PDB file of all heavy atoms in Angstrom:
ATOM      1  N   LYS B 161      14.123  24.696  -0.460  1.00  0.00           N
ATOM      2  CA  LYS B 161      14.060  23.397  -1.146  1.00  0.00           C
ATOM      3  C   LYS B 161      12.584  23.090  -1.372  1.00  0.00           C
ATOM      4  O   LYS B 161      11.798  23.089  -0.424  1.00  0.00           O
ATOM      5  CB  LYS B 161      14.717  22.303  -0.303  1.00  0.00           C
ATOM      6  CG  LYS B 161      14.987  21.000  -1.043  1.00  0.00           C
ATOM      7  CD  LYS B 161      15.788  20.039  -0.148  1.00  0.00           C
ATOM      8  CE  LYS B 161      16.287  18.827  -0.886  1.00  0.00           C
ATOM      9  NZ  LYS B 161      15.231  18.002  -1.483  1.00  0.00           N
ATOM     10  N   TRP B 162      12.206  22.823  -2.626  1.00  0.00           N
ATOM     11  CA  TRP B 162      10.799  22.799  -3.010  1.00  0.00           C
ATOM     12  C   TRP B 162      10.320  21.387  -3.323  1.00  0.00           C
ATOM     13  O   TRP B 162      11.074  20.562  -3.833  1.00  0.00           O
ATOM     14  CB  TRP B 162      10.579  23.723  -4.204  1.00  0.00           C
ATOM     15  CG  TRP B 162      11.030  25.104  -3.898  1.00  0.00           C
ATOM     16  CD1 TRP B 162      12.280  25.632  -4.097  1.00  0.00           C
ATOM     17  CD2 TRP B 162      10.278  26.129  -3.255  1.00  0.00           C
ATOM     18  NE1 TRP B 162      12.340  26.927  -3.629  1.00  0.00           N
ATOM     19  CE2 TRP B 162      11.122  27.258  -3.110  1.00  0.00           C
ATOM     20  CE3 TRP B 162       8.961  26.217  -2.802  1.00  0.00           C
ATOM     21  CZ2 TRP B 162      10.695  28.443  -2.527  1.00  0.00           C
ATOM     22  CZ3 TRP B 162       8.532  27.398  -2.232  1.00  0.00           C
ATOM     23  CH2 TRP B 162       9.393  28.493  -2.093  1.00  0.00           C
ATOM     24  N   THR B 163       9.048  21.134  -3.038  1.00  0.00           N
ATOM     25  CA  THR B 163       8.551  19.764  -3.100  1.00  0.00           C
ATOM     26  C   THR B 163       7.043  19.724  -3.302  1.00  0.00           C
ATOM     27  O   THR B 163       6.348  20.738  -3.109  1.00  0.00           O
ATOM     28  CB  THR B 163       8.902  19.023  -1.789  1.00  0.00           C
ATOM     29  OG1 THR B 163       8.539  17.649  -1.894  1.00  0.00           O
ATOM     30  CG2 THR B 163       8.190  19.642  -0.593  1.00  0.00           C
ATOM     31  N   SER B 164       6.546  18.548  -3.656  1.00  0.00           N
ATOM     32  CA  SER B 164       5.113  18.251  -3.621  1.00  0.00           C
ATOM     33  C   SER B 164       4.827  17.185  -2.572  1.00  0.00           C
ATOM     34  O   SER B 164       3.747  16.596  -2.545  1.00  0.00           O
ATOM     35  CB  SER B 164       4.621  17.773  -4.995  1.00  0.00           C
ATOM     36  OG  SER B 164       4.591  18.847  -5.904  1.00  0.00           O
ATOM     37  N   GLN B 165       5.810  16.943  -1.736  1.00  0.00           N
ATOM     38  CA  GLN B 165       5.677  15.937  -0.689  1.00  0.00           C
ATOM     39  C   GLN B 165       4.520  16.287   0.246  1.00  0.00           C
ATOM     40  O   GLN B 165       4.219  17.458   0.489  1.00  0.00           O
ATOM     41  CB  GLN B 165       6.974  15.831   0.112  1.00  0.00           C
ATOM     42  CG  GLN B 165       6.986  14.713   1.133  1.00  0.00           C
ATOM     43  CD  GLN B 165       8.343  14.547   1.807  1.00  0.00           C
ATOM     44  OE1 GLN B 165       8.461  14.674   3.014  1.00  0.00           O
ATOM     45  NE2 GLN B 165       9.371  14.268   1.016  1.00  0.00           N
ATOM     46  N   ASP B 166       3.881  15.235   0.776  1.00  0.00           N
ATOM     47  CA  ASP B 166       2.826  15.434   1.752  1.00  0.00           C
ATOM     48  C   ASP B 166       2.895  14.306   2.783  1.00  0.00           C
ATOM     49  O   ASP B 166       3.693  13.373   2.644  1.00  0.00           O
ATOM     50  CB  ASP B 166       1.453  15.470   1.086  1.00  0.00           C
ATOM     51  CG  ASP B 166       0.472  16.377   1.824  1.00  0.00           C
ATOM     52  OD1 ASP B 166       0.699  16.663   3.023  1.00  0.00           O
ATOM     53  OD2 ASP B 166      -0.529  16.803   1.210  1.00  0.00           O
ATOM     54  N   TYR B 167       2.050  14.393   3.785  1.00  0.00           N
ATOM     55  CA  TYR B 167       2.058  13.395   4.855  1.00  0.00           C
ATOM     56  C   TYR B 167       1.418  12.103   4.367  1.00  0.00           C
ATOM     57  O   TYR B 167       0.440  12.116   3.620  1.00  0.00           O
ATOM     58  CB  TYR B 167       1.350  13.961   6.082  1.00  0.00           C
ATOM     59  CG  TYR B 167       2.089  15.154   6.654  1.00  0.00           C
ATOM     60  CD1 TYR B 167       1.746  16.451   6.279  1.00  0.00           C
ATOM     61  CD2 TYR B 167       3.181  14.972   7.504  1.00  0.00           C
ATOM     62  CE1 TYR B 167       2.453  17.548   6.762  1.00  0.00           C
ATOM     63  CE2 TYR B 167       3.887  16.062   7.995  1.00  0.00           C
ATOM     64  CZ  TYR B 167       3.524  17.345   7.622  1.00  0.00           C
ATOM     65  OH  TYR B 167       4.247  18.418   8.082  1.00  0.00           O
ATOM     66  N   VAL B 168       1.979  10.983   4.814  1.00  0.00           N
ATOM     67  CA  VAL B 168       1.583   9.681   4.276  1.00  0.00           C
ATOM     68  C   VAL B 168       0.106   9.384   4.476  1.00  0.00           C
ATOM     69  O   VAL B 168      -0.528   8.729   3.635  1.00  0.00           O
ATOM     70  CB  VAL B 168       2.463   8.563   4.881  1.00  0.00           C
ATOM     71  CG1 VAL B 168       2.218   8.416   6.388  1.00  0.00           C
ATOM     72  CG2 VAL B 168       2.264   7.240   4.163  1.00  0.00           C
ATOM     73  N   ASP B 169      -0.482   9.865   5.561  1.00  0.00           N
ATOM     74  CA  ASP B 169      -1.903   9.613   5.802  1.00  0.00           C
ATOM     75  C   ASP B 169      -2.798  10.374   4.831  1.00  0.00           C
ATOM     76  O   ASP B 169      -3.973  10.046   4.664  1.00  0.00           O
ATOM     77  CB  ASP B 169      -2.277   9.970   7.248  1.00  0.00           C
ATOM     78  CG  ASP B 169      -1.895  11.395   7.612  1.00  0.00           C
ATOM     79  OD1 ASP B 169      -0.688  11.672   7.752  1.00  0.00           O
ATOM     80  OD2 ASP B 169      -2.798  12.229   7.749  1.00  0.00           O
ATOM     81  N   LYS B 170      -2.247  11.383   4.142  1.00  0.00           N
ATOM     82  CA  LYS B 170      -2.995  12.108   3.117  1.00  0.00           C
ATOM     83  C   LYS B 170      -2.727  11.532   1.733  1.00  0.00           C
ATOM     84  O   LYS B 170      -3.594  11.578   0.848  1.00  0.00           O
ATOM     85  CB  LYS B 170      -2.622  13.588   3.145  1.00  0.00           C
ATOM     86  CG  LYS B 170      -3.045  14.313   4.415  1.00  0.00           C
ATOM     87  CD  LYS B 170      -2.412  15.687   4.525  1.00  0.00           C
ATOM     88  CE  LYS B 170      -2.836  16.627   3.416  1.00  0.00           C
ATOM     89  NZ  LYS B 170      -2.210  17.970   3.564  1.00  0.00           N
ATOM     90  N   VAL B 171      -1.535  10.976   1.549  1.00  0.00           N
ATOM     91  CA  VAL B 171      -1.145  10.443   0.243  1.00  0.00           C
ATOM     92  C   VAL B 171      -1.771   9.074  -0.017  1.00  0.00           C
ATOM     93  O   VAL B 171      -2.266   8.800  -1.120  1.00  0.00           O
ATOM     94  CB  VAL B 171       0.389  10.360   0.136  1.00  0.00           C
ATOM     95  CG1 VAL B 171       0.814   9.617  -1.133  1.00  0.00           C
ATOM     96  CG2 VAL B 171       1.008  11.758   0.152  1.00  0.00           C
ATOM     97  N   ALA B 172      -1.752   8.203   0.987  1.00  0.00           N
ATOM     98  CA  ALA B 172      -2.211   6.818   0.798  1.00  0.00           C
ATOM     99  C   ALA B 172      -3.641   6.715   0.256  1.00  0.00           C
ATOM    100  O   ALA B 172      -3.889   5.923  -0.667  1.00  0.00           O
ATOM    101  CB  ALA B 172      -2.062   6.041   2.104  1.00  0.00           C
ATOM    102  N   PRO B 173      -4.616   7.464   0.785  1.00  0.00           N
ATOM    103  CA  PRO B 173      -5.979   7.352   0.247  1.00  0.00           C
ATOM    104  C   PRO B 173      -6.066   7.730  -1.229  1.00  0.00           C
ATOM    105  O   PRO B 173      -6.826   7.107  -1.989  1.00  0.00           O
ATOM    106  CB  PRO B 173      -6.788   8.325   1.119  1.00  0.00           C
ATOM    107  CG  PRO B 173      -6.018   8.430   2.386  1.00  0.00           C
ATOM    108  CD  PRO B 173      -4.584   8.346   1.982  1.00  0.00           C
ATOM    109  N   LYS B 174      -5.292   8.726  -1.638  1.00  0.00           N
ATOM    110  CA  LYS B 174      -5.302   9.144  -3.038  1.00  0.00           C
ATOM    111  C   LYS B 174      -4.692   8.059  -3.925  1.00  0.00           C
ATOM    112  O   LYS B 174      -5.135   7.839  -5.062  1.00  0.00           O
ATOM    113  CB  LYS B 174      -4.544  10.458  -3.204  1.00  0.00           C
ATOM    114  CG  LYS B 174      -5.129  11.626  -2.433  1.00  0.00           C
ATOM    115  CD  LYS B 174      -6.535  11.964  -2.915  1.00  0.00           C
ATOM    116  CE  LYS B 174      -7.083  13.186  -2.187  1.00  0.00           C
ATOM    117  NZ  LYS B 174      -8.454  13.535  -2.635  1.00  0.00           N
ATOM    118  N   ILE B 175      -3.681   7.387  -3.413  1.00  0.00           N
ATOM    119  CA  ILE B 175      -3.067   6.292  -4.169  1.00  0.00           C
ATOM    120  C   ILE B 175      -4.074   5.173  -4.385  1.00  0.00           C
ATOM    121  O   ILE B 175      -4.230   4.657  -5.497  1.00  0.00           O
ATOM    122  CB  ILE B 175      -1.812   5.772  -3.448  1.00  0.00           C
ATOM    123  CG1 ILE B 175      -0.671   6.784  -3.571  1.00  0.00           C
ATOM    124  CG2 ILE B 175      -1.377   4.416  -4.001  1.00  0.00           C
ATOM    125  CD1 ILE B 175       0.588   6.393  -2.837  1.00  0.00           C
ATOM    126  N   VAL B 176      -4.785   4.799  -3.331  1.00  0.00           N
ATOM    127  CA  VAL B 176      -5.763   3.714  -3.452  1.00  0.00           C
ATOM    128  C   VAL B 176      -6.870   4.096  -4.426  1.00  0.00           C
ATOM    129  O   VAL B 176      -7.323   3.258  -5.229  1.00  0.00           O
ATOM    130  CB  VAL B 176      -6.331   3.345  -2.071  1.00  0.00           C
ATOM    131  CG1 VAL B 176      -7.481   2.348  -2.211  1.00  0.00           C
ATOM    132  CG2 VAL B 176      -5.228   2.760  -1.188  1.00  0.00           C
ATOM    133  N   GLU B 177      -7.316   5.353  -4.385  1.00  0.00           N
ATOM    134  CA  GLU B 177      -8.339   5.808  -5.327  1.00  0.00           C
ATOM    135  C   GLU B 177      -7.895   5.582  -6.766  1.00  0.00           C
ATOM    136  O   GLU B 177      -8.679   5.128  -7.611  1.00  0.00           O
ATOM    137  CB  GLU B 177      -8.632   7.294  -5.113  1.00  0.00           C
ATOM    138  CG  GLU B 177      -9.458   7.602  -3.877  1.00  0.00           C
ATOM    139  CD  GLU B 177      -9.670   9.097  -3.693  1.00  0.00           C
ATOM    140  OE1 GLU B 177      -9.442   9.860  -4.673  1.00  0.00           O
ATOM    141  OE2 GLU B 177     -10.051   9.506  -2.588  1.00  0.00           O
ATOM    142  N   MET B 178      -6.639   5.898  -7.060  1.00  0.00           N
ATOM    143  CA  MET B 178      -6.126   5.726  -8.420  1.00  0.00           C
ATOM    144  C   MET B 178      -5.932   4.255  -8.757  1.00  0.00           C
ATOM    145  O   MET B 178      -6.136   3.842  -9.900  1.00  0.00           O
ATOM    146  CB  MET B 178      -4.810   6.482  -8.575  1.00  0.00           C
ATOM    147  CG  MET B 178      -4.931   7.992  -8.501  1.00  0.00           C
ATOM    148  SD  MET B 178      -6.112   8.661  -9.718  1.00  0.00           S
ATOM    149  CE  MET B 178      -5.352   8.132 -11.255  1.00  0.00           C
TER     150      MET B 178
END
Side-chain angles (χ1 to χ4, degrees):
K161 193 174 190 300
W162 303 90
T163 186
S164 288
Q165 186 174 120
D166 211 339
Y167 296 94
V168 66
D169 55 289
K170 294 168 63 179
V171 172
K174 299 297 183 180
I175 287 177
V176 172
E177 285 178 16
M178 293 304 299

